[in-house]
Amino acid sequence: MPKEHRKRGKKKRGNKEAVEHEAEQQAEEHHEEPNPQWMETNDDMNLEAPFGYVDPDVKGYFRTVDARIQDWQSQEYVPDDANEEGNTNEDKRMFLVAALSESSGKELQLSTDPDCSIILERMLHSMDDLVIRVFADRLCGSYVQLAQHRFGSHVCQTLLEVAVSTISRETRGRIAKPSEMDSSTGVLRTMTELVAAISEELLPSLSQLILDPFGAHVLLSLLVLLSPQITRHQNSSHPSNSLTRSKKSAAYKSRQGSMKSILASGADHTSTAVVPASFKDLASRFVDTLRESTDANEIRAFAANKVANPVLQAMIDLEAQQGKSDIPGSLIDSVLMGAISSLAQGEEPEQSDYVGTLLRDPTASHLFEALVRHAPERTFQALWDLYFKTKLGRLCSHPVANFVVSKAIMRLDSSGLLEALEEIDPASSKLIKTGRTGVLKSLVDQAVALAAHEGAVSEMLCRAVDIEESTIQLLVPCLLTLKSRSVYSKSTSTDDPEANSEPTEPTVQGAVILQSMLKLSDPHNQRVIQSIHAQSIDEIIGLSRHPVSSRVLDAFLDSSAVPLRDKRKFLLSLMGSYHVLVDDRIGSRVGDRCWACADPFLREKIAKSILPHETALSVSYYGKYFARNLHLTMLKRDAAAWRDMQRDQKRAAAAAASNNTESIKAPPKPDIKSNVEANDSTHTKKRKRTGVDEDEIDVLFSKAPNSRKALVPSKGTEESIPDIQSARADDPQLDEVLGAIKKVSKKEGKRKNKKS
């Protein structure tokens, strides 16, 4: 206390009783009165633990279980014979049984606990079919509360995800039967019946769950289980989990460590989900319930809701699978302001401001993409005329609407594609500059799919980066970096250091466009091919060592639309530089594709060019794998056997590729007559090789004096010789190649004659 505030005079000793009395009065004044009875919380209604809290001892035990399971999951799968004592599959099963017996009767409390819920999810991946059915049965009657709980919803999602393989096995007839002791407590329902019970439990609360931030994800997982096709891309057979889990949920799951079974090696899991026919009716009930319980205004409100939007997309997908999209009053009709109803009555639908806002809204645009994919043909044409036609220039440049335009272009016919090309062409350079190239890629893909207007698409992309025939060598660099010719030239020039500061790194968007352009038919993809041939060796190696630009070279070597002569020219241009190409993490992968693409003659040239650098590649971290694949030791020891091996490998690869192509097509009808003749024959005959199976390289090697094959050519070989001569007359490069092979074979024959 400052001196000026101190009082003068002798200090007086205060009375202790008075001080204590004053302190008691102050304590009574500041003492808070207890809450009245109506303000007291009830543990039974606690939202954090609706089923009660987990005992601390039980929670500590499950933490020990979690640590043990994570330790097993971090280890690689080893067969039982190689496992040490305590780590066999039987020991792991006993450990899981002990943990599950401890959780018996506490499943609901554990599912809503922040710490134990993730442990339950980890254990679910290691449960067998019988235990999963028991666990799902214990939760019956509480799925609505669990779905709306922060942690219980994750347990429900994981349960529905692991139930896919169980239901697939039950559909195939492999149903796990409980033991006699378990059957005394009651009849255990199959997983198919349990999923039907879960659906019946959630159906009355559908309109409530679709807006719940946790329940919507459980609802999505259930819909995916009932109809697995809604998560698959139209050009892919692999499911995608982006629909059922948000980015935040996926990030949370990734932080929890590995989520895999500690018992199975991964071979037991079915690659394709198989569901019973009854699930189709269950999925249809969800769509019908949503349509009956909500009106059109509520459905349109779901479009802008971040929680309900993904569920509405799944419902529209289900409705399209059931063939109900073109019915008046469908979900698509409600979102499109009655467009389907107007067309059914013979009237043209009117333009709606609400539908126009769906194009530009970051959330609702995803729903509009689903509408474009699943709308009936007449409805899509009406949508295109109302909201896309004559507006593509602005929509393509919009940061959100360009994604919807990309999906809409994939449904255009030949005439509509030409109109879209003419409308987008003036804005193509702006799209390249802003990096919004999804529309341009869709134009190329649709031109390839329709086999129409491919030349117009190729010319448009060249004009977008200001590339002419005289500067075709800059097409690949300009499209890779998404820069015009003038900007790219300034950024790579050494005269202006300020302009050179602009980055020229390859972009993913540009690489994707180039890969699509390489799928164009032969005359129309020559611009990209010529640009690749015009690059120097150093530039090609630079492209091969970048994770983005190397994909363009992969597409060039893998595309069936690229002629073989261009691939051969590319491989010959790299001769003498393969040891530099493969001495890199990404370049070695490009080198492997070059080797797979080469014919036996080119393989021999590549291998001989690698021989002087064999020692350097053997110590290279990446190049040693490429050198090992070449079998250089065998080439030096026995060149003829090496050539035979390369021919066999090439022929086997071609047969495998043809088998994959035939498996996609429908199987032909069996020839009954030929089968009868084959069965009546008393001895088997060797199948003769025909001229179709052999190419000109094989014919020349078979005629060589040092070949291991018979010197007498077969009938098919004799018939193919005139074709080879005519091909040599048409292609002078092929004539040079065949002449070189003849010279090599003659020299080797003379050497063997001298030795003998």
Side-chain angles (χ1 to χ4, degrees):
M1 181 181 293
K3 291 183 179 181
E4 59 270 14
H5 292 166
R6 293 179 182 177
K7 294 182 179 180
R8 294 183 180 181
K10 189 176 181 181
K11 294 182 179 180
K12 297 181 181 180
R13 293 184 178 179
N15 190 2
K16 291 183 179 180
E17 295 180 358
V19 173
E20 291 176 358
H21 180 68
E22 185 178 356
E24 289 178 0
Q25 288 181 349
Q26 292 178 357
E28 290 178 358
E29 291 176 359
H30 295 286
H31 179 67
E32 295 182 358
E33 296 182 359
N35 292 332
Q37 187 175 4
W38 62 272
M39 292 182 62
E40 292 181 0
T41 58
N42 188 0
D43 289 340
D44 296 336
M45 301 299 293
N46 190 0
L47 297 179
E48 293 183 359
F51 306 103
Y53 291 98
V54 181
D55 187 78
D57 295 335
V58 176
K59 187 179 292 189
Y61 170 73
F62 272 93
R63 285 174 180 166
T64 307
V65 171
D66 184 49
R68 186 62 172 162
I69 292 177
Q70 287 193 51
D71 185 28
W72 277 329
Q73 286 179 338
S74 62
Q75 300 173 2
E76 295 184 358
Y77 176 77
V78 183
D80 283 345
D81 299 337
N83 276 329
E84 300 177 358
E85 185 177 355
N87 287 335
T88 61
N89 275 346
E90 188 61 31
D91 296 330
K92 295 175 183 178
R93 286 192 184 93
M94 293 175 62
F95 181 82
L96 282 175
V97 168
L100 292 170
S101 61
E102 185 67 28
S103 66
S104 179
K106 309 181 185 69
E107 290 85 2
L108 295 174
Q109 293 92 330
L110 293 171
S111 299
T112 53
D113 187 79
D115 299 324
C116 297
S117 61
I118 191 66
I119 303 174
L120 269 184
E121 291 184 61
R122 204 182 306 278
M123 293 172 63
L124 278 169
H125 288 278
S126 301
M127 294 181 184
D128 56 10
D129 294 348
L130 192 62
V131 179
I132 289 175
R133 287 160 54 189
V134 172
F135 183 81
D137 188 65
R138 296 278 179 88
L139 300 183
C140 280
S142 305
Y143 277 102
V144 176
Q145 287 179 283
L146 288 172
Q148 295 175 331
H149 193 269
R150 178 182 179 184
F151 301 104
S153 61
H154 287 279
V155 176
C156 292
Q157 276 188 272
T158 305
L159 174 63
L160 294 173
E161 289 173 5
V162 299
V164 173
S165 56
T166 303
I167 291 175
S168 298
R169 284 188 285 270
E170 289 181 356
T171 307
R172 294 185 175 96
R174 297 166 53 189
I175 302 176
K177 296 182 179 180
S179 60
E180 296 180 358
M181 296 178 61
D182 297 336
S183 61
S184 60
T185 58
V187 178
L188 180 62
R189 292 175 287 183
T190 62
M191 199 66 210
T192 305
E193 296 172 347
L194 287 169
V195 170
I198 295 171
S199 302
E200 295 290 344
E201 186 177 344
L202 297 182
L203 269 173
S205 306
L206 179 60
S207 58
Q208 180 183 357
L209 291 174
I210 197 173
L211 291 170
D212 189 84
F214 307 120
H217 294 285
V218 178
L219 195 58
L220 267 176
S221 298
L222 180 59
L223 293 177
V224 169
L225 177 61
L226 296 176
S227 180
Q229 289 80 11
I230 63 177
T231 56
R232 289 193 176 95
H233 192 267
Q234 58 182 353
N235 296 327
S236 176
S237 60
H238 299 286
S240 173
N241 294 328
S242 60
L243 181 64
T244 56
R245 287 196 181 273
S246 61
K247 292 182 180 179
K248 188 176 181 181
S249 176
Y252 172 77
K253 292 283 287 185
S254 64
R255 291 195 299 268
Q256 304 307 318
S258 176
M259 289 284 181
K260 62 181 181 180
S261 176
I262 61 176
L263 301 176
S265 62
D268 297 337
H269 298 286
T270 55
S271 57
T272 305
V274 181
V275 295
S278 59
F279 279 13
K280 184 178 180 181
D281 299 332
L282 283 174
S284 178
R285 287 187 59 189
F286 275 93
V287 177
D288 296 338
T289 303
L290 179 64
R291 216 165 34 209
E292 294 169 0
S293 61
T294 55
D295 57 5
N297 291 328
E298 290 177 336
I299 291 176
R300 284 192 285 270
F302 291 159
N305 192 301
K306 293 183 178 180
V307 176
N309 186 288
V311 183
L312 187 57
Q313 291 182 51
M315 292 287 188
I316 288 175
D317 199 339
L318 284 174
E319 189 180 55
Q321 292 178 19
Q322 298 161 9
K324 300 179 181 179
S325 298
D326 55 349
I327 299 175
S330 62
L331 295 177
I332 295 181
D333 188 30
S334 300
V335 177
L336 294 179
M337 303 294 292
I340 296 177
S341 301
S342 300
L343 290 173
Q345 297 173 2
E347 302 175 358
E348 289 295 328
E350 298 179 357
Q351 189 171 357
S352 170
D353 294 336
Y354 168 78
V355 179
T357 56
L358 295 182
L359 274 167
R360 299 169 176 83
D361 186 74
T363 302
S365 61
H366 295 282
L367 178 65
F368 204 102
E369 292 180 22
L371 296 176
V372 167
R373 285 197 307 269
H374 302 297
E377 188 62 31
R378 288 182 60 197
T379 308
F380 171 74
Q381 290 298 332
L383 279 177
W384 180 264
D385 295 338
L386 286 175
Y387 302 103
F388 295 97
K389 200 172 182 179
T390 69
K391 303 173 185 176
L392 291 177
R394 288 176 296 167
L395 293 176
C396 292
S397 303
H398 195 272
V400 176
N402 72 91
F403 295 101
V404 185
V405 176
S406 301
K407 294 293 186 297
I409 287 175
M410 298 304 295
R411 289 199 60 177
L412 293 176
D413 54 4
S414 179
S415 59
L417 180 63
L418 182 59
E419 294 177 359
L421 272 172
E422 295 173 352
E423 193 173 346
I424 295 173
D425 193 0
S428 58
S429 58
K430 183 180 179 181
L431 297 178
I432 291 290
K433 184 178 180 180
T434 55
R436 298 190 176 102
T437 57
V439 176
L440 301 178
K441 180 184 180 299
S442 296
L443 289 172
V444 179
D445 292 340
Q446 189 65 4
V448 173
L450 297 175
H453 313 299
E454 296 176 275
V457 172
S458 180
E459 292 174 1
M460 181 197 67
L461 290 172
C462 290
R463 286 194 297 269
V465 290
D466 193 19
I467 295 295
E468 301 174 354
E469 294 295 334
S470 58
T471 57
I472 198 65
Q473 69 274 8
L474 295 177
L475 177 61
V476 169
C478 289
L479 280 178
L480 266 179
T481 56
L482 293 182
K483 298 180 184 297
S484 62
R485 178 170 57 89
S486 58
V487 175
Y488 179 79
S489 301
K490 290 180 181 179
S491 61
T492 55
S493 63
T494 57
D495 300 335
D496 191 359
E498 295 181 359
N500 197 18
S501 60
E502 191 174 354
T504 57
E505 283 290 318
T507 60
V508 177
Q509 297 93 329
V512 168
I513 288 180
L514 286 171
Q515 293 177 57
S516 298
M517 291 181 69
L518 286 169
K519 296 178 183 178
L520 296 170
S521 57
D522 181 16
H524 310 293
N525 59 6
Q526 284 298 319
R527 291 183 174 88
V528 182
I529 295 173
Q530 291 174 9
S531 180
I532 292 176
H533 287 324
Q535 307 300 313
S536 63
I537 297 298
D538 295 336
E539 291 172 341
I540 291 293
I541 292 177
L543 292 176
S544 68
R545 295 189 172 186
H546 196 278
V548 175
S549 57
S550 63
R551 298 294 181 180
V552 179
L553 299 180
D554 294 344
F556 172 79
L557 295 170
D558 293 341
S559 177
S560 58
V562 178
L564 292 177
R565 64 176 183 274
D566 293 312
K567 294 181 181 180
R568 189 184 297 115
K569 182 179 178 181
F570 177 78
L571 297 177
L572 288 173
S573 66
L574 290 174
M575 206 64 65
S577 304
Y578 281 99
H579 63 285
V580 182
L581 174 69
V582 300
D583 193 12
D584 182 72
R585 179 176 65 89
I586 303 170
S588 60
R589 181 173 50 81
V590 179
D592 291 336
R593 290 182 183 271
C594 291
W595 178 258
C597 180
D599 54 35
F601 171 72
L602 284 177
R603 286 189 177 188
E604 185 174 359
K605 293 198 69 173
I606 294 172
K608 288 183 177 179
S609 68
I610 291 290
L611 278 176
H613 311 282
E614 181 182 5
T615 306
L617 288 179
S618 62
V619 297
S620 173
Y621 188 78
Y622 303 106
K624 61 183 178 182
Y625 300 104
F626 180 80
R628 189 181 304 168
N629 192 28
L630 266 60
H631 303 284
L632 297 177
T633 306
M634 183 179 181
L635 174 63
K636 292 186 290 186
R637 186 177 65 250
D638 192 349
W642 186 89
R643 293 190 197 99
D644 292 341
M645 181 185 68
Q646 298 303 325
R647 283 199 302 272
D648 294 340
Q649 289 180 357
K650 194 68 178 177
R651 193 177 292 112
S658 62
N659 290 336
N660 293 335
T661 306
E662 291 176 359
S663 62
I664 299 174
K665 300 178 181 178
K669 295 182 180 180
D671 191 357
I672 302 175
K673 184 177 180 180
S674 60
N675 291 339
V676 172
E677 292 177 356
N679 293 331
D680 292 342
S681 60
T682 56
H683 63 280
T684 58
K685 297 181 180 180
K686 291 185 178 180
R687 185 178 60 183
K688 294 182 179 180
R689 293 183 178 178
T690 59
V692 179
D693 295 333
E694 296 184 353
D695 56 3
E696 58 271 14
I697 305 296
D698 295 335
V699 173
L700 289 173
F701 273 115
S702 63
K703 292 178 64 179
N706 62 336
S707 177
R708 295 189 174 185
K709 297 182 179 180
L711 295 177
V712 181
S714 62
K715 183 178 179 181
T717 305
E718 294 175 355
E719 294 175 354
S720 62
I721 291 175
D723 298 335
I724 298 170
Q725 293 176 355
S726 61
R728 290 175 59 182
D730 296 338
D731 193 352
Q733 292 183 356
L734 181 61
D735 194 8
E736 295 177 2
V737 172
L738 298 178
I741 294 174
K742 282 186 176 181
K743 290 180 181 179
V744 172
S745 60
K746 287 180 181 179
K747 290 180 181 179
E748 291 183 356
K750 290 179 181 179
R751 290 175 185 173
K752 286 196 173 184
N753 292 333
K754 288 181 181 180
K755 290 181 181 179
S756 60

